[in-house]
Amino acid sequence: MKKTFLTFVLLFAFGIGLHAVPFTLRNSSLQSIYLKIPGVMNPNLSPMSNSGVDLQEGQKIFFFHKRKKYLLLEVTDELAGKKVVVDKLIRERKKELGI
């Protein structure tokens, strides 16, 4: 436990791999959307809402379809300051996945 904590402190001190990316998750639909962000939170996006987040680069965000978890997106620097329309992205991912 001490080793893990020390590792994170050193990584933070040197700015390696701990770059937070600020962006907004937007639900423009009339239904709530449940997401999973491992190790961070499991937000339930209310209908017609915005949720500002600061997530680490490389963090994965998942959505659910028929109780199965699917990758929605992986956080990159390109998302900084942008608004991600989650309901639209989920529709696109479902088409890509054939579900």
Side-chain angles (χ1 to χ4, degrees):
M1 182 70 176
K2 287 183 182 180
K3 264 188 181 177
T4 304
F5 179 74
L6 182 59
T7 301
F8 282 115
V9 169
L10 290 174
L11 287 173
F12 182 77
F14 292 104
I16 301 170
L18 293 177
H19 175 67
V21 179
F23 63 100
T24 301
L25 297 172
R26 167 83 179 145
N27 179 4
S28 61
S29 75
L30 297 175
Q31 297 179 352
S32 291
I33 298 175
Y34 178 70
L35 300 174
K36 180 158 183 81
I37 305 173
V40 180
M41 61 182 171
N42 298 322
N44 190 16
L45 299 178
S46 298
M48 304 302 289
S49 69
N50 292 311
S51 181
V53 294
D54 289 346
L55 297 175
Q56 299 299 321
E57 191 173 4
Q59 176 71 55
K60 294 180 180 179
I61 301 176
F62 297 91
F63 73 98
F64 292 87
H65 177 73
K66 296 186 179 180
R67 298 184 186 228
K68 290 183 81 177
K69 182 173 74 170
Y70 297 92
L71 180 65
L72 180 63
L73 66 92
E74 187 171 334
V75 177
T76 65
D77 272 336
E78 294 174 12
L79 292 175
K82 293 190 178 172
K83 189 179 291 188
V84 177
V85 182
V86 176
D87 53 299
K88 181 181 174 188
L89 189 56
I90 288 174
R91 282 193 303 275
E92 291 171 2
R93 285 292 291 142
K94 283 181 176 180
K95 281 183 185 177
E96 289 173 9
L97 296 167
I99 56 175

